[in-house]
Amino acid sequence: MEHHAPNDPAVAAAAAQPTAEAAWARGRVGLWLIGARGSVATTVAVGVHALAAGVAPATGCTTAGPGFSEVPLPGFDEIVIGGHDVSTVPLGQRAEQLAAAGMIPGAIVAAVRDQLDRTDAEIRPAIEPNAYQGSQRDAVSRLAADIIAFRDRHGLAHVTVVDVSSTEPLPADRPEFHDPALLAAALADPDLAILPPSSVAALAAVEAGAAYACFTPSAGLGLPALRAIAQPRIAFAGQDGKTGETLLRTVLAPMFVDRGMRVLSWAGANLLGGGDGQTLADPEAVRSKLASKTRGLHSLVGEHVVAPLHIDNVPDLGDVKTAWDHVHAEGFLSSRITLQTTWSAYDSMLAAPLVIDLARLLSLAGAAGVRGVVPALGSFFKDPWGSDVHAFADQSAALTSWASDLGEQVTGADAARAVASIEGVGAPAAEPAPIGGVR
């Protein structure tokens, strides 16, 4: 038997590309990242380029697994990356910083350094709320124009916008958040700025006709009026990426319930540094994160469960996140059951492959003409939109079934289009992306 070293380039190249037997026939697709020079986005960019070049395996990518082998998904080399950010630190420099911190292998960053520079040229300035002059309506149009120009410049079949920016405080509720007409009027007023930055960016995705995923607990497209605007126009999913501690909880909690054990308390503590640690040190910013992390647990084991959760900024930890959980449950004849878990990982390394998965899956949804919230993508999120299912096994089964069904639909449409082309019959044009203002 032939043996290869773990870092053998031949092994990496073989594992780098998806194993789909059903070919993607829609051309290149775009991944537009909100917070495009942050740790998660930088890791995504390094990852996409490394996978496309065959210098790294697709470890951690759900869509590279056997359950997706016959689903037509864009190849890693068919994903073009752009985005918005307020930061001006070049993407290549940011990647080198992450390599110096020990998060990304320096050899991989060096191998894709030129591609990172080209990607950095596709990043446009985000809106800075304190410096912007004009209405939020104009801000939405400006951001949407950047996405449209990106799509047109590269001849992309679809664009998916993913928000991986820093968590922001949740806005106080307003009537405009529930009424699209009131919202439109407020957005046109240059003296008002009622939407948080994440929602301005989300609305720009809708106007550009791009699919959207909210990987943060920020408001994004979660406001009812924005959801109503987006529902008939784009495919979208959220909210707050499920990468570590919450992932573990949604695997373990159903075990207790299915075995008839009664969970009494589930306490947790998170330690992290880096930019996320600084952001979540703000009591208002951390409020939405705590809510999204706890909501699924209560749904799985019951509202009676005592579930204190703390998130603490420990600067010297950098991008390494450590989560401790202590579970107390009641077993047969009131016996005591205790489970303690420790999860430690680079959070950006957990998040990045999921962002890539979302770009591929929402491109598939776009190819099939899907509009509205996509509950089947709930396995990627702590607080899934359009679904009250939180058990990870159930979510995973729903995802593979949805992708398989959609893949058959897209493959059938592509085959029909090919036959029509051969026979000289013009295939029907794809439905144009919905572009325009709020209405």
Side-chain angles (χ1 to χ4, degrees):
M1 179 182 294
E2 183 179 3
H3 294 278
H4 295 273
N7 60 349
D8 190 328
V11 175
Q17 292 299 329
T19 58
E21 297 174 7
W24 172 259
R26 300 299 180 103
R28 295 193 302 170
V29 300
L31 171 56
W32 189 266
L33 298 168
I34 302 168
R37 294 189 175 107
S39 294
V40 173
T42 302
T43 308
V44 169
V46 172
V48 167
H49 294 312
L51 296 178
V55 298
T59 308
C61 286
T62 300
T63 54
F68 297 85
S69 61
E70 296 186 4
V71 178
L73 295 168
F76 300 121
D77 60 348
E78 294 175 298
I79 299 174
V80 183
I81 301 175
H84 282 121
D85 205 324
V86 295
S87 172
T88 58
V89 177
L91 195 62
Q93 182 179 335
R94 189 75 183 92
E96 290 171 347
Q97 291 171 351
L98 295 179
M103 191 174 87
I104 302 177
I108 292 180
V109 173
V112 300
R113 191 60 169 77
D114 290 344
Q115 293 95 316
L116 292 175
D117 290 341
R118 288 194 289 272
T119 296
D120 191 70
E122 298 295 337
I123 298 174
R124 299 294 180 263
I127 298 293
E128 297 194 54
N130 296 330
Y132 184 74
Q133 300 293 322
S135 70
Q136 288 194 313
R137 169 68 267 160
D138 292 340
V140 168
S141 295
R142 200 211 84 183
L143 296 178
D146 289 338
I147 300 171
I148 294 168
F150 169 71
R151 182 191 65 206
D152 294 346
R153 183 164 60 252
H154 294 283
L156 304 174
H158 308 279
V159 175
T160 297
V161 174
V162 183
D163 189 343
V164 289
S165 61
S166 298
T167 300
E168 64 189 18
L170 291 176
D173 198 17
R174 302 176 58 116
E176 292 89 344
F177 293 167
H178 301 269
D179 187 322
L182 289 178
L183 178 63
L187 293 179
D189 188 337
D191 295 324
L192 291 178
I194 67 169
L195 288 182
S198 65
S199 295
V200 172
L203 192 54
V206 177
E207 181 164 316
Y212 171 84
C214 187
F215 210 75
T216 81
S218 302
L221 207 57
L223 302 179
L226 296 187
R227 295 275 289 276
I229 293 167
Q231 186 69 25
R233 302 172 68 178
I234 64 167
F236 59 93
Q239 179 175 30
D240 196 7
K242 183 162 70 174
T243 56
E245 180 188 32
T246 307
L247 173 65
L248 192 62
R249 287 179 166 195
T250 59
V251 171
L252 292 176
M255 175 196 71
F256 286 99
V257 175
D258 292 346
R259 279 296 172 96
M261 303 172 191
R262 178 176 167 81
V263 177
L264 302 176
S265 63
W266 199 311
N270 289 208
L271 308 179
L272 70 161
D276 277 351
Q278 294 175 19
T279 298
L280 295 176
D282 178 352
E284 288 303 311
V286 79
R287 186 163 54 93
S288 59
K289 174 68 75 172
L290 291 173
S292 67
K293 287 174 72 69
T294 304
R295 190 173 292 115
L297 179 64
H298 277 141
S299 174
L300 289 168
V301 296
E303 293 293 336
H304 70 279
V305 172
V306 177
L309 180 62
H310 299 278
I311 299 178
D312 296 312
N313 179 28
V314 184
D316 61 281
L317 293 181
D319 290 301
V320 177
K321 179 180 178 181
T322 298
W324 296 324
D325 273 18
H326 183 284
V327 186
H328 177 209
E330 182 181 67
F332 190 54
L333 301 180
S334 300
S335 60
R336 180 187 182 94
I337 301 169
T338 300
L339 172 69
Q340 297 178 5
T341 65
T342 301
W343 177 282
S344 185
Y346 288 102
D347 210 36
S348 294
M349 287 296 223
L350 297 173
L354 305 188
V355 173
I356 298 169
D357 286 331
L358 286 167
R360 302 181 78 203
L361 290 165
L362 283 169
S363 293
L364 176 66
V370 172
R371 298 289 184 268
V373 67
V374 184
L377 297 177
S379 65
F380 295 101
F381 302 104
K382 295 182 181 73
D383 195 9
W385 289 339
S387 173
D388 59 2
V389 176
H390 291 273
F392 184 69
D394 295 340
Q395 292 176 325
S396 294
L399 173 63
T400 54
S401 176
W402 172 84
S404 177
D405 291 345
L406 217 60
E408 290 181 5
Q409 178 182 334
V410 170
T411 300
D414 288 344
R417 186 178 291 107
V419 169
S421 177
I422 292 172
E423 294 179 349
V425 178
E431 181 181 348
I435 298 180
V438 178
R439 52 181 179 267

